[in-house]
Amino acid sequence: MWPDHIRCAVALTFDLDAESVWLADDPANANRPAVLSHGRYGPRVAVPLILDLLERHAVSTTFFVPGQVAETHGETIRALLDAGHELAVHGYTHTPPAEMASEEDEERHLLRAKAALEHFGVSAVGYRAPAWDVSPHTIHLLNRHGFTYSSNFMDDVRPYHHPDTDIVELPVHWVLDDAPHFWFDRDTWEKKIATPSEVAEIWQAEFEGIYELGGLFVLTLHPQMIGRPHRLHMLEEFVQTVAAYPGVWFATCREIAAHVRSVAS
Ligand SMILES: [Zn+2]
């Protein structure tokens, strides 16, 4: 499946939600600046630290960006592009396709999101739905509008083709997402915030398993969560550990999908 001498592909992906999660959750949050600041931490503090970390380890990766975020955080978008990372679509707002009224509604959102990135000269080929919650129409809409990959499904540890389309799936999973481990629910106060060592233990063990299977390891990270200083230390140690394995290929999702398509054709 992989290029010569490669045993496992690794994509350290980031979903640059900024304020969009809280705006989609409740439009009234537009008038709650401290609530929105949860997300603003992403572009304001976390992204520059993440860019430094990626540069130290010469890793290029993919940032999934809602169109609305691209329109309000242009400087951040330009910094990501200047650093050589891939930009891909993460909805226009943070409303998942599964919650949209119709296929037409979903298509409008998708094209508006793509156009927001085209404003920066980016012809996006990748798509990750907000909350990975696609509709029954999503894959065919991606196929119709020039996308080459989706990163939303949890039914494999290797890339695969969606039937009857040109769309490659780059599978994800909740255990490899920072949000379920670090998210704090301020409404209930019920959920414990994980320590970095607990999360590193899970990620390391899952990496070893996927490496043995010769699969694809996709981390789904959120600047507002992984970007806290103690978690960035953990991420950096994790990158160093993974990089020490022979035959590991750190790549953008676009590169991985292009390789999978080239092998299949
Ligand atoms: Zn998101």
Side-chain angles (χ1 to χ4, degrees):
M1 164 164 286
W2 301 123
D4 286 350
H5 312 299
I6 297 300
R7 171 135 189 204
C8 179
V10 175
L12 301 179
T13 68
F14 293 85
D15 294 358
L16 181 60
D17 294 325
E19 296 90 342
S20 68
V21 171
W22 289 268
L23 291 170
D25 190 37
D26 181 358
N29 283 340
N31 295 318
R32 299 167 76 187
V35 168
L36 294 184
S37 75
H38 287 67
R40 196 162 55 248
Y41 180 85
R44 187 183 164 104
V45 179
V47 168
L49 295 173
I50 289 165
L51 288 179
D52 287 349
L53 188 159
L54 295 172
E55 190 182 356
R56 280 196 292 281
H57 299 280
V59 171
S60 294
T61 192
T62 303
F63 285 77
F64 293 89
V65 187
Q68 192 183 42
V69 172
E71 288 172 358
T72 49
H73 293 285
E75 234 171 85
T76 301
I77 299 303
R78 278 185 285 274
L80 296 175
L81 291 172
D82 288 348
H85 299 292
E86 179 198 2
L87 294 190
V89 172
H90 188 46
Y92 179 72
T93 64
H94 207 273
T95 304
E99 292 177 18
M100 289 180 190
S102 64
E103 182 176 349
E104 291 71 29
D105 201 22
E106 182 179 349
E107 190 170 34
R108 259 196 309 277
H109 271 76
L110 182 67
L111 294 179
R112 198 173 173 194
K114 207 168 189 285
L117 295 183
E118 277 161 8
H119 176 76
F120 294 90
V122 173
S123 184
V125 296
Y127 178 77
R128 177 176 288 160
W132 294 317
D133 202 0
V134 299
S135 80
H137 314 295
T138 304
I139 297 301
H140 290 284
L141 287 174
L142 298 178
N143 200 42
R144 190 184 305 160
H145 292 293
F147 287 81
T148 64
Y149 72 88
S150 147
S151 185
N152 294 291
F153 285 70
M154 305 197 187
D155 47 0
D156 212 327
V157 293
R158 298 181 185 88
Y160 62 87
H161 269 90
H162 284 280
D164 307 321
T165 72
D166 292 326
I167 303 293
V168 170
E169 180 63 36
L170 305 180
V172 292
H173 197 272
W174 287 112
V175 294
L176 298 179
D177 182 327
D178 56 358
H181 306 295
F182 296 134
W183 186 270
F184 176 68
D185 186 345
R186 67 191 219 125
D187 294 331
T188 63
W189 283 59
E190 277 173 0
K191 190 184 159 303
K192 173 185 171 294
I193 297 174
T195 66
S197 57
E198 288 172 306
V199 179
E201 186 183 340
I202 294 171
W203 289 356
Q204 169 92 32
E206 183 72 355
F207 168 75
E208 283 167 10
I210 291 177
Y211 180 86
E212 281 165 22
L213 293 168
L216 167 64
F217 182 89
V218 179
L219 268 190
T220 299
L221 305 168
H222 299 81
Q224 73 270 23
M225 276 179 271
I226 198 69
R228 302 305 305 187
H230 69 302
R231 295 174 188 156
L232 283 175
H233 285 147
M234 180 271 278
L235 179 64
E236 184 143 26
E237 276 175 24
F238 181 74
V239 169
Q240 285 167 325
T241 303
V242 166
Y245 280 71
V248 167
W249 180 34
F250 284 96
T252 66
C253 291
R254 184 183 191 127
E255 290 169 326
I256 294 167
H259 176 75
V260 172
R261 286 158 62 97
S262 74
V263 170
S265 61

